[in-house]
Amino acid sequence: MPFATSRLTTALVLLTGVTGVVEAVSYLGLDRVFAAVMTGNVLFVGFGLVDHSIPVAGSAVALVAFVLGALAGHRVNGALSRRRPERWLTYAVCGEGALLMVAALLALGLPSHPAELTPHRLAVIVVLAATMGSRNVTILRVAAPDLPTTVLTRALAGTFMLPSQGRIGRRVASVVAMFAGALTGAFLLSWHPAAALAAAALLEIVAGVLCPRTKP
């Protein structure tokens, strides 16, 4: 199924770009918090317990929201795969795009420049982290280990350790997509966080539409 594989690869690369945009907003615009890369939040919480100048509230909230999003995503994906076995991935990814649009709407009232962590900012963090938690369980169900869409560690290492020509292209594409997403997100953030999140939502929905049918 080369055509289906090509569409899935394209969709996953687009989702990696979405992660770059989301992390640009969350880290640069929401008090140095990661929405998808929980390793960073765990480290920040650990650092902050010793160095009290490091804020930990946002990272702790993001961690809890990510876990809750992953639990909810697992249940939703299970239900979708039973009721819509051929199109569950499209529905799951487009649903995450809708959540990102909710985050964009919530962000409309935020100032364009970073400020102190407020309940309003925490609400945006919760929606973003929960969405990324759901995304991670969706990608685990897809079982594409060289395109996880939220981290690049394995892609970077595998590019040099496992020189399979087809996989090298996928891994390099994921690195480029994450970089491009971060660059785009930082640029749009200079206008307003809502602009960056709206772009991420639209890109996520495009990725969902591109997802191929799966075997029932």
Side-chain angles (χ1 to χ4, degrees):
M1 298 279 290
F3 178 66
T5 302
S6 173
R7 289 186 61 172
L8 180 60
T9 298
T10 302
L12 295 180
V13 169
L14 286 176
L15 291 177
T16 306
V18 170
T19 298
V21 177
V22 168
E23 293 294 48
V25 174
S26 61
Y27 188 81
L28 298 176
L30 299 174
D31 198 44
R32 300 297 188 266
V33 174
F34 289 107
V37 183
M38 290 299 111
T39 302
N41 290 327
V42 171
L43 291 174
F44 284 155
V45 171
F47 298 156
L49 291 177
V50 176
D51 185 347
H52 299 299
S53 67
I54 299 174
V56 300
S59 294
V61 168
L63 281 166
V64 173
F66 184 92
V67 172
L68 293 176
L71 291 172
H74 174 67
R75 294 179 66 87
V76 170
N77 284 339
L80 287 174
S81 64
R82 289 190 297 272
R83 297 177 184 178
R84 297 287 189 273
E86 293 185 350
R87 301 299 290 173
W88 75 268
L89 183 56
T90 291
Y91 291 131
V93 174
C94 287
E96 291 159 17
L99 287 175
L100 289 178
M101 191 60 74
V102 170
L105 293 173
L106 281 174
L108 281 173
L110 293 176
S112 56
H113 299 290
E116 71 278 359
L117 192 63
T118 62
H120 192 170
R121 273 188 162 77
L122 282 174
V124 179
I125 289 170
V126 167
V127 176
L128 290 179
T131 303
M132 291 297 103
S134 177
R135 158 87 73 78
N136 272 266
V137 297
T138 298
I139 300 307
L140 284 174
R141 186 180 284 266
V142 172
D146 57 329
L147 282 172
T149 79
T150 54
V151 292
L152 296 179
T153 307
R154 182 175 293 182
L156 286 169
T159 298
F160 303 102
M161 294 173 61
L162 302 169
S164 168
Q165 193 63 39
R167 290 176 178 249
I168 286 177
R170 287 155 59 101
R171 292 171 186 139
V172 171
S174 69
V175 174
V176 172
M178 184 80 80
F179 175 81
L183 191 67
T184 302
F187 175 74
L188 292 176
L189 188 62
S190 65
W191 288 355
H192 197 277
L197 291 177
L202 293 174
L203 192 58
E204 180 107 10
I205 291 170
V206 169
V209 172
L210 282 174
C211 288
R213 292 178 179 270
T214 58
K215 293 181 180 180

